[in-house]
Amino acid sequence: MATAAASNADYFDRHAGLYDDRASAQKLARRIGDEIMDEYHFDDETTTLLDFACGTGLLSRVLAPECKRIVGIDISEEMVAQFNARVHAQGIPEEEMHAIHADLTTNTDAFHDEKFDVAVCLMGWHHIASPEDMTRILSSQLNTEGWLFVADVKTLDGQTLEKHRDIVRHTEGFTEERMREMFEAAGLVNFSWWVVTKAKMDGVNVQIFLAKGQKEK
Ligand SMILES: C[S@@+](CC[C@H](N)C(=O)[O-])C[C@H]1O[C@@H](n2cnc3c(N)ncnc32)[C@H](O)[C@@H]1O
């Protein structure tokens, strides 16, 4: 069986060109972006943001007006190409916003020692092999007192996200308890978790949570 990373890279490489046409993905990025902006005091002159599993940049583009610098990272080369093409088309300098193609679990210096004020991940958590490991990695990329925000699928009652089992490694979604445990194990404090909105994924009604935690002093 292919690794989670390889299956995802292959799938999203093939779907990158059409990803932004999905009205539901755009709507969700706007909704979660608004929620994150309500939770964190962004400053467009100072705030630096890491967008993990950034895809084509739907969430980054919602948050961009509030940030000084955004670096996206994704396992799919084509999603990253779409992200950077849109940034380039808008005339935004690369040092203000760009995405890199890398596997953070194996490339430990993807950001060349840069740390960030905020790290976000929208709908990436259910794709990755070990969310626990990734929480630790993203926590290590945060400045002291920086925040990690993760939005994904809340545990499903009796249903699972079966349709894309090859790329969805957590077909049952996530409980608040599991999210809290992984955040705390990664040195993130002031944890909170709540349901933000509903969505439909491949015919399954899901609830989308937002979890947040702060890097310890
Ligand atoms: C459902 S899309 C979400 C994209 C974007 N965050 C958004 O909400 O529009 C999932 C993304 O996760 C990326 N991904 C999957 N596994 C990954 C991994 N191990 N490391 C980085 N990105 C990954 C995929 O390539 C894809 O771009």
Side-chain angles (χ1 to χ4, degrees):
M1 185 170 146
T3 64
S7 307
N8 272 275
D10 176 59
Y11 177 88
F12 284 101
D13 277 353
R14 285 186 282 111
H15 292 83
L18 293 174
Y19 192 83
D20 278 10
D21 295 342
R22 293 167 47 199
S24 57
Q26 290 178 24
K27 191 174 155 201
L28 183 60
R30 166 55 63 190
R31 182 69 189 83
I32 295 297
D34 286 346
E35 194 81 6
I36 293 172
M37 286 188 277
D38 282 348
E39 293 296 315
Y40 182 81
H41 183 71
F42 284 85
D43 180 338
D44 63 359
E45 292 189 357
T46 61
T47 303
T48 58
L49 180 113
L50 187 177
D51 185 356
F52 172 72
C54 61
T56 55
L58 289 175
L59 180 58
S60 280
R61 291 203 293 281
V62 171
L63 298 173
E66 312 298 322
C67 295
K68 178 187 176 201
R69 172 173 162 83
I70 295 179
V71 181
I73 185 163
D74 200 283
I75 200 80
S76 159
E77 195 168 5
E78 289 303 321
M79 294 295 259
V80 166
Q82 295 284 337
F83 183 116
N84 288 329
R86 282 164 176 70
V87 172
H88 185 70
Q90 287 177 0
I92 299 169
E94 192 185 322
E95 60 271 21
E96 283 180 24
M97 186 168 170
H98 71 284
I100 53 181
H101 169 228
D103 183 346
L104 257 188
T105 55
T106 51
N107 186 345
T108 51
D109 193 28
F111 301 108
H112 306 292
D113 288 337
E114 182 174 5
K115 306 270 193 224
F116 298 85
D117 300 318
V118 181
V120 296
C121 180
L122 171 59
M123 300 303 275
W125 234 228
H126 60 271
H127 289 290
I128 58 179
S130 173
E132 280 76 10
D133 287 351
M134 192 51 66
T135 309
R136 271 191 292 276
I137 292 168
L138 292 176
S139 174
S140 74
Q141 292 299 146
L142 286 172
N143 287 319
T144 303
E145 298 189 76
W147 286 88
L148 172 64
F149 290 91
V150 173
D152 214 287
V153 177
K154 183 188 167 191
T155 317
L156 297 154
D157 292 326
Q159 297 193 80
T160 52
L161 302 171
E162 285 297 328
K163 186 168 173 204
H164 291 298
R165 200 170 241 293
D166 51 334
I167 57 164
V168 175
R169 290 300 150 110
H170 305 277
T171 54
E172 69 295 350
F174 296 91
T175 61
E176 176 178 1
E177 192 183 12
R178 182 172 175 196
M179 293 302 297
R180 180 189 295 277
E181 279 172 9
M182 72 176 83
F183 271 48
E184 289 177 354
L188 298 169
V189 296
N190 298 325
F191 175 86
S192 56
W193 183 100
W194 62 102
V195 170
V196 175
T197 187
K198 294 176 184 167
K200 200 153 194 147
M201 286 174 70
D202 301 322
V204 179
N205 290 319
V206 299
Q207 292 182 297
I208 307 297
F209 70 81
L210 183 62
K212 68 170 190 174
Q214 188 174 29
K215 178 91 173 260
E216 261 179 316
K217 271 193 200 167

